[in-house]
Amino acid sequence: MDLTLAIIKPDAVEGRKIGRILAQLEDAGFSIRAAKFVQLDEPQAGAFYAVHSERPFYEPLKRFMTSGPILALALEHEDAVTRLRKVIGATDPAEAEPGTVRAQYAESKERNAIHASDSDETARQELSFFFSSRELMGAA
Ligand code: ATP
Ligand code: MG
């Protein structure tokens, strides 16, 4: 699939890193096909990260993701999911490759600047979580 979902997380929005991160994504060859500021509430954050509901970090993760606005992005690139995971780097910035988004802008494993879908199936679900088919019209 040529589309994936990214989220610029509350830490990076608050830290005024949006411009730099979008520039890096465009420089890496991604086209921004849809973008939306969203303030998630607790049930929405819980639903988005439902796969982690049994993990010890689920509650802090929901608190973090509802702590301020986020920027949801539909990004287009050949092999988009794999490409974007590579560009954002490992979950923990201490383990992220130099030059990746998280190596540069994440504060910690919890406050790690950006989310990216981890499979084509997840990307489809996550894109439809934030965007209507009409909003994705014209995207791949
Ligand atoms: P994301 O899904 O946000 O793109 P990811 O796929 O790299 O990140 P996941 O394992 O899906 O990582 O975890 C989702 C999010 O939960 C992480 O981005 C991070 O904010 C938080 N998280 C993951 N593991 C931990 C942990 N061990 N301790 C605290 N927070 C964690
Ligand atoms: Mg994940």
Side-chain angles (χ1 to χ4, degrees):
M1 186 161 80
D2 288 346
L3 264 195
T4 189
L5 180 91
I7 298 174
I8 301 184
K9 293 187 178 183
D11 57 326
V13 174
E14 168 75 18
R16 300 200 296 257
K17 305 302 185 200
I18 291 174
R20 272 171 264 231
I21 293 172
L22 293 184
Q24 184 170 354
L25 297 175
E26 290 193 326
D27 287 348
F30 289 91
S31 298
I32 300 166
R33 293 300 185 201
K36 187 185 287 185
F37 278 105
V38 181
Q39 171 67 59
L40 292 179
D41 63 22
E42 180 105 358
Q44 289 169 331
F48 185 80
Y49 277 120
V51 64
H52 295 310
S53 61
E54 303 302 318
R55 309 288 284 279
F57 56 81
Y58 187 55
E59 292 300 324
L61 176 60
K62 284 192 289 180
R63 272 199 298 281
F64 169 53
M65 291 301 287
T66 57
S67 66
I70 60 173
L71 182 65
L73 302 165
L75 298 177
E76 186 178 351
H77 193 295
E78 187 191 341
D79 201 11
V81 168
T82 308
R83 287 292 317 151
L84 186 62
R85 295 291 292 190
K86 198 159 177 58
V87 168
I88 75 171
T91 310
D92 184 344
E95 293 166 14
E97 290 280 318
T100 58
V101 174
R102 282 167 168 168
Q104 295 180 83
Y105 303 116
E107 296 168 23
S108 66
K109 187 162 51 175
E110 293 77 21
R111 297 169 60 84
N112 63 359
I114 191 165
H115 161 85
S117 306
D118 61 10
S119 70
D120 282 3
E121 190 192 344
T122 314
R124 281 189 199 93
Q125 288 168 11
E126 292 184 349
L127 286 162
S128 64
F129 186 94
F130 287 103
F131 299 107
S132 68
S133 54
R134 189 185 182 86
E135 288 168 330
L136 293 173
M137 241 172 36

